[in-house]
Amino acid sequence: MLTVTPRAFEWTPTVGIIMILCNVVAIAFAKYTMKNPSAEPQIPAGNLFGGFGLPAILASTSFGHVLGAGVILGLSNIGVL
């Protein structure tokens, strides 16, 4: 057990770009699948996010981060990153 150590992974701009792309994909997915994306409370610049309310932004970006973490870990494990 002591010889099994997780691979240390450093942040690079590529990792940041992958996370941003995963969040954009998650927001686009949410735009077309959410029943009520403009639920209250509204955010100040809601038109920048397609008219999403705060619950929709939190839900879609949370999903985007989970998706991004999976993609980054997967690409790291297969040796692409």
Side-chain angles (χ1 to χ4, degrees), residues 1 10-11 14-15 25-26 30 35 48-49 59 61 64-65 68 73 81:
M1 279 295 237
E10 294 184 16
W11 186 89
T14 305
V15 172
V25 167
K35 185 175 181 179
L48 295 177
F49 292 98
T61 55
H65 277 75
L73 288 173
L81 289 178

Side-chain angles (χ1 to χ4, degrees), residues 9-70:
F9 187 72
E10 294 184 16
W11 186 89
T12 62
T14 305
V15 172
I17 290 170
I18 291 171
M19 185 60 77
I20 290 170
L21 289 176
C22 287
N23 275 289
V24 169
V25 167
I27 290 170
F29 181 73
K31 178 76 174 167
Y32 295 107
T33 58
M34 278 190 180
K35 185 175 181 179
N36 190 8
S38 60
E40 295 290 330
Q42 293 295 317
I43 57 175
N47 59 348
L48 295 177
F49 292 98
F52 278 8
L54 183 62
I57 289 291
L58 291 176
S60 61
T61 55
S62 294
F63 173 64
H65 277 75
V66 170
L67 182 66

